[in-house]
Amino acid sequence: MNYSLDALFKPNSIAIIGASNDPTRVSGRPVQMLKDAGYGGRIYPVNPRRDSVQGLRSFSSLGAVGERVDLVLIAVPASGVEDALRDCCAARVGAAIVFGSGYAETGAHGRTAQERLAAIARTGGVRLLGPNCMGMFNTRERAYVTFPTVFSADWPEPGNVGLVSQSGAFAAFCYSRAKLEGLNLSYGAMTGNEADIDFADCLEWLIKDETTKIIIGFMEGFADGPKLCRALSAARAERKPVIILKVGRSPLGIATASSHTAQLSGEDAVFDAVFAEYGVHRAKTVDELFDVARLAASGGLPVRLRLGILTISGGAGVLMSDVAYDCGVTVPQLPEPVQRELRVRVPFASLHNPIDTTGQVLDDKTLLPAMLDALCSHADVDAVTGFYAGMGLSDAAPQLVDQLTAAAKRHPNVRQIVCALCTPAVRDALWAAGIPVFGEPSRAIAAFAAVTRIGQAFTRPAEMKPAPIALHLPVAPAALDEEHATALLSPLGICTPTARRAATPKEAGDVSEALGFPVVVKVLSPALAHKTETGAVTLNLQSRGEVVEASLSMLPPRNDRLKGVPVTGLYVVEMKMGVELIIGIHRDPVFGPVIMAGMGGIYAELLQDTAIALAPVTPAAALGMLRSLSGFHILEGARGRPRCDADAAADAISRLSRASLPAECHGIEINPLIVGAEGSGAWAADCLVT
Amino acid sequence: MNYSLDALFKPNSIAIIGASNDPTRVSGRPVQMLKDAGYGGRIYPVNPRRDSVQGLRSFSSLGAVGERVDLVLIAVPASGVEDALRDCCAARVGAAIVFGSGYAETGAHGRTAQERLAAIARTGGVRLLGPNCMGMFNTRERAYVTFPTVFSADWPEPGNVGLVSQSGAFAAFCYSRAKLEGLNLSYGAMTGNEADIDFADCLEWLIKDETTKIIIGFMEGFADGPKLCRALSAARAERKPVIILKVGRSPLGIATASSHTAQLSGEDAVFDAVFAEYGVHRAKTVDELFDVARLAASGGLPVRLRLGILTISGGAGVLMSDVAYDCGVTVPQLPEPVQRELRVRVPFASLHNPIDTTGQVLDDKTLLPAMLDALCSHADVDAVTGFYAGMGLSDAAPQLVDQLTAAAKRHPNVRQIVCALCTPAVRDALWAAGIPVFGEPSRAIAAFAAVTRIGQAFTRPAEMKPAPIALHLPVAPAALDEEHATALLSPLGICTPTARRAATPKEAGDVSEALGFPVVVKVLSPALAHKTETGAVTLNLQSRGEVVEASLSMLPPRNDRLKGVPVTGLYVVEMKMGVELIIGIHRDPVFGPVIMAGMGGIYAELLQDTAIALAPVTPAAALGMLRSLSGFHILEGARGRPRCDADAAADAISRLSRASLPAECHGIEINPLIVGAEGSGAWAADCLVT
């Protein structure tokens, strides 16, 4: 069942089973919408109790239509949905939509009913959108198979922005907002419970569609991580920006989501990692979703975070500089000779970049073009963001549009971005020249940064993933102590400090002399996850005597925190010095193996200074993870400390990421990974298998 | 010169020196604006070359007017400004405005010219707005003494929001945006270079003005911190919310600001501390400025971060839950019996809070009121934010307005906040009922959190500040070593570990035995700020022998990092164990003494996990500073560690904050302050005077 969703998105014919003659009813609205919008295909109301529905001939059954129909809306009461879907299968239609609710979102009983629907569709070879969904729309062929009233008038021009949303009401909101903002959509699907057609399916179709250039999405959760990754990979290959508002980031959001949908959340941070890998922009607000979409939809993708800023308000220039700094955007200075040339004309203006035009720009019509040319030709920027305040509402608007349009033509490689209050006509005129308009200077800068990061991700060559390495547990999970866990790592080639097992304190003393001092001594036990808290580890022992004494004091009866804990021996380990990291691999329920790296120490752990990525990762990608940590400066030798072997740490992360975990094993955590001085290496000083 | 700014904000008469007959010129526009807007006072163009200006009688000089004029706009070329200002003084006018630029913003020469203007005004008893400013507006008496064209038509209704902006163009942008959004302003001042009248003066006047209920501000910098604090304190006393977009947060922003204004930035974090203390909301974007203003201007201030959320889109409910979580807003569950009652009517809806109304709310007209009542009466919330998607654009809008208005009346203690796309008429109808409308769900929640935090700050009783304690340097600054610095602290009553000076390693050994082990030994020198980096400190010495050996190895010739450093002795100090903080006091150029507290350790220092406040602070306020640190959990005993004496740490911070620094001294830093186990105390283990 992997064939195209053309029947859903671009149907040549649409039947509505249960079509109502009353256009205000949910089962009547789509008929009215299709007629009003001027849908060019054939519309077949199916209603055995009427000869005509809203002026169209009505059919007694789907079979009576006498044509193989592309898309069928099932708009009958719950009790009739399964029969109607069977009729669709019998009539070999392409796709069916079920609006009705009361399925998986309501609990176990509904889930069973939904599984029945899915099975009928699958067996019958019909693609199913829904249930508990709001259908689809197609602004190009004017197919509106949905019911919110916002879709019922004032049909928008077809555009290049595709929409996929698991929430129907949210999609309807986006549709209205897009119309208000003059952002034109191409196709939209509201996937609801996703019994069959899901978010990734729709994404994939929109990526293949030639008229859709960018895709915005609203997602609450997604169970099939690899499928989503395939779709996102296709988007990157086609250079189509994908912007997703994935909600359920917080405990409260996840609780709310679980109470009203059947979506599996997965770990939110893993979605971040996946989106980062594929160059998807994850929006946190509706504004951001639209801002990034608007900029991406208006033209090519910048690839460098270098921005010219021009303002008719010095104050706005300061604000925009702050936001540029926050977003990691460089605002390169205009070369001094270029400034000098301009200064002759505007002696009081600030001309470094940001350029403060001063009010003179309103009187001297040649000033703005000269300033734009200076920034575009001499500041080596990928875009110029201009703050023109209320000019888009004023008499000066036509001149502004002309001058910006001309500048955009003169400098095709530098995007023009406008921040101004504009009338819709002014906004649309700028849009026609590929110039997006923002009402808020901060948001324009943030959108530039976001779109450039998409451009950078699309330019980055896709990494060759290293091959996984199968691991095998040396003993049963319940018998796994630290020595076994360390042994588990050996096929990965991760360095560990030299270590010896000892049966008694005396033997520990003996082996310590063979290892050389200082050493660490630990109590071995399959039941000990937290050695520090239970007094089962002693660091920095300098002599045989200290080792014996420490061993005695760590064991019962002297250590009563280990009373009743099964002890399998003592572990004498070469003491390594360096900066501590925590690295781990575990299986995410949605996306599979995930590699984590973070700074060690209680402070770093409390702040969760960690980075995660889909496993496996190359050493270069692992180094990128380390660089993203707030504590990376410590590895680099902050405050006069020695520089650490970050390459060795990255190598260890990459090696751990290749672990193909045994089925019994949820994850492996190395805590700490001790990173020595530059060139010396990194060692897994403790390892926990969960 | 501390008398009222009534003459500026509410002039009964306005003269324009240099008034042009051409209404498109900067010197002609104000005449036209005053006429067009229907300004009720008297307008006196002063232009010796004309008998009339734009149909009004023109006067040859200010003296010829024959009335004592309240407000004079000086609109003559730069060379005539000083004479015109002298005329204003001679005519004993109330206030004068100078639009012209070329003053302090252009460098030393302009600064001198500006100082001359200020001196003339001061001597003559005339208040001066500007130079390099855009004047003022008054929507109530319709006085517009400004020139951007956005002020030239479609005069808005007077409102309750005052505006002060150092940037004129930015204020004009805000004025336009406020009109578009239906947020009505009362008075506005654009202060420019602030030769006399400044941001704080205008703020103070607006606070006293009865029609102004809230104030929004745009600020690039402010030199007189105590004056600003007095104004903000008055705002808090009058319960008038102040929302300020203070730009120049970042290095790039500060650089941009310094290139175009004469404002002193001060340390940005100190502005944060000041704003937090007075309950000022600091907006980071224009959207945020308007969002918080809109909510604050629409009615009373909530005081609890407890919110009901109701949505016609479950997806939006998840988004709003995420944002509520981010903002620290609680979304309390609706009691189960109340949910049960509603569930009878909407079996498939999620009813915990967020309530997902489902589409049924469109069909069943009694459902929305029932749900609103449930949240308002039974969820113990201060506000209900409802997401109504595009309903404000649809046929359902009148019903929505009626039902929300009725709910607001039934539950006067619960604010209704609407997120919806609305026509201006629907928006204004809701506003008339005290219900603000947001187009973006995330922003509505964030605004609720911000306004509630203002309400909380206004409810908090103002703290009694402890009295400062004068400190005196025991020796010349150049001779100050650690023992002297520690002695400097003694009037403050901050605990320090017991310590003894020793002249030689042998004497250090002797005194260590008197102190008891373990001890720390340090090299004393007035030139040593970084003892760890130069090997001038050894921790955890356990015996006399270790002390002597460590002392020898820390001194030259064995320690060549101290070669050439003047050594004044050795310092043997009792070794205290605990969590390390850094605390310090220093003089901010804008606000005066500022107290800082942060977590110690390299990681915390790198992340700058610090809190600052205006000094002095009470122990309770100091504890609040500690609580705001990310690392506070460590003091509380995270991960099985012992709980630390946070009260003792707060006491030490409060004591240090009372230090009245000697003039030669920029600040004092205690690093580390060692915080022992609960009940044991906190000790200044090292002290640096700068």
Side-chain angles (χ1 to χ4, degrees), chain B residues 6-9 11-19 30 34 39 42-46 61-63 65 67-76 80-81 83-99 126-130 133 135-136 145-146 197:
Chain B
D6 284 0
L8 174 69
F9 283 106
N12 288 310
S13 53
I14 300 172
I16 301 95
I17 304 183
L34 290 167
Y39 169 60
R42 293 170 300 286
I43 312 171
Y44 300 117
V46 175
S61 70
L62 197 55
V65 166
E67 186 201 0
R68 185 165 158 183
V69 176
D70 277 348
L71 178 61
V72 176
L73 170 65
I74 297 177
V76 297
V81 170
D83 280 343
L85 188 55
R86 281 193 199 93
D87 291 348
C88 291
C89 297
R92 304 185 63 203
V93 308
I97 297 176
V98 176
F99 286 166
V126 169
R127 297 304 306 258
L128 171 65
L129 186 71
C133 84
M136 57 71 67
V145 185
T146 180
I197 297 171

Side-chain angles (χ1 to χ4, degrees), chain A residues 24 26 29 101-103 105-106 134 149-150 167-170 172-173 176-177 180 218 220 245-254 256-257 259-260 282 284-288 312-326 329-331 347-350 352-354 356 362-363 387-391 393-395 419-422 439-443 533 599-600 602-607 609 629-634 638-641, chain B residues 24 26 29 101-103 105-106 134 149-150 167-170 172-173 176-177 180 218 220 245-254 256-257 259-260 282 284-288 312-326 329-331 347-350 352-354 356 362-363 387-391 393-395 419-422 439-443 533 599-600 602-607 609 629-634 638-641:
Chain A
T24 69
V26 166
R29 239 179 258 157
S101 54
Y103 291 90
E105 81 280 9
T106 62
M134 292 197 191
T149 49
V150 295
S167 162
F170 194 85
F173 173 64
S176 300
R177 181 166 167 158
L180 284 178
F218 180 87
E220 295 187 27
L245 182 53
K246 155 81 176 71
V247 296
R249 286 185 287 113
S250 65
L252 184 60
I254 291 166
T256 303
S259 75
H260 89 102
R282 179 172 186 177
K284 285 198 169 174
T285 66
V286 186
D287 280 347
E288 200 184 328
I312 63 164
S313 153
V318 182
L319 171 63
M320 291 161 83
S321 298
D322 281 340
V323 179
Y325 183 85
D326 291 346
V329 169
T330 300
V331 182
F348 300 151
S350 163
H352 305 93
N353 185 20
D356 176 7
L362 294 167
D363 299 329
F387 177 80
Y388 306 102
M391 272 171 81
L393 303 172
S394 76
D395 298 345
C419 311
L421 303 175
C422 290
E440 222 274 4
S442 319
R443 282 165 54 188
E533 289 83 340
M599 296 303 295
I602 185 172
Y603 196 83
E605 283 184 50
L606 274 178
L607 296 189
D609 186 13
L629 299 176
S630 308
F632 182 68
H633 297 296
I634 295 176
R639 309 234 163 153
R641 290 174 170 230
Chain B
T24 68
V26 166
R29 240 179 259 156
S101 53
Y103 291 90
E105 81 282 9
T106 61
M134 292 198 191
T149 49
V150 295
S167 161
F170 193 85
F173 174 66
S176 300
R177 179 162 168 162
L180 285 179
F218 179 88
E220 295 186 30
L245 181 54
K246 155 81 176 71
V247 297
R249 287 185 287 112
S250 65
L252 184 60
I254 291 166
T256 303
S259 75
H260 90 102
R282 178 172 187 176
K284 285 200 172 172
T285 67
V286 186
D287 281 347
E288 199 184 332
I312 63 165
S313 152
V318 182
L319 170 63
M320 291 161 84
S321 298
D322 282 338
V323 179
Y325 184 85
D326 291 345
V329 169
T330 301
V331 183
F348 299 151
S350 163
H352 305 94
N353 185 20
D356 176 7
L362 295 168
D363 300 327
F387 177 81
Y388 305 102
M391 272 172 80
L393 302 172
S394 76
D395 298 345
C419 311
L421 303 175
C422 289
E440 222 275 1
S442 318
R443 283 165 54 187
E533 289 82 342
M599 297 302 296
I602 186 173
Y603 196 82
E605 284 183 51
L606 273 179
L607 296 190
D609 187 13
L629 299 176
S630 308
F632 182 68
H633 297 297
I634 295 175
R639 310 235 163 149
R641 291 173 170 232

Side-chain angles (χ1 to χ4, degrees), chain B residues 623-648:
Chain B
L623 192 59
M625 291 171 69
L626 290 176
R627 282 186 196 286
S628 76
L629 299 176
S630 308
F632 182 68
H633 297 297
I634 295 175
L635 287 175
E636 277 189 313
R639 310 235 163 149
R641 291 173 170 232
R643 213 181 159 83
C644 295
D645 200 337
D647 288 334

Side-chain angles (χ1 to χ4, degrees), chain B residues 430-441:
Chain B
L430 286 166
W431 180 263
I435 303 171
V437 174
F438 293 82
E440 222 275 1

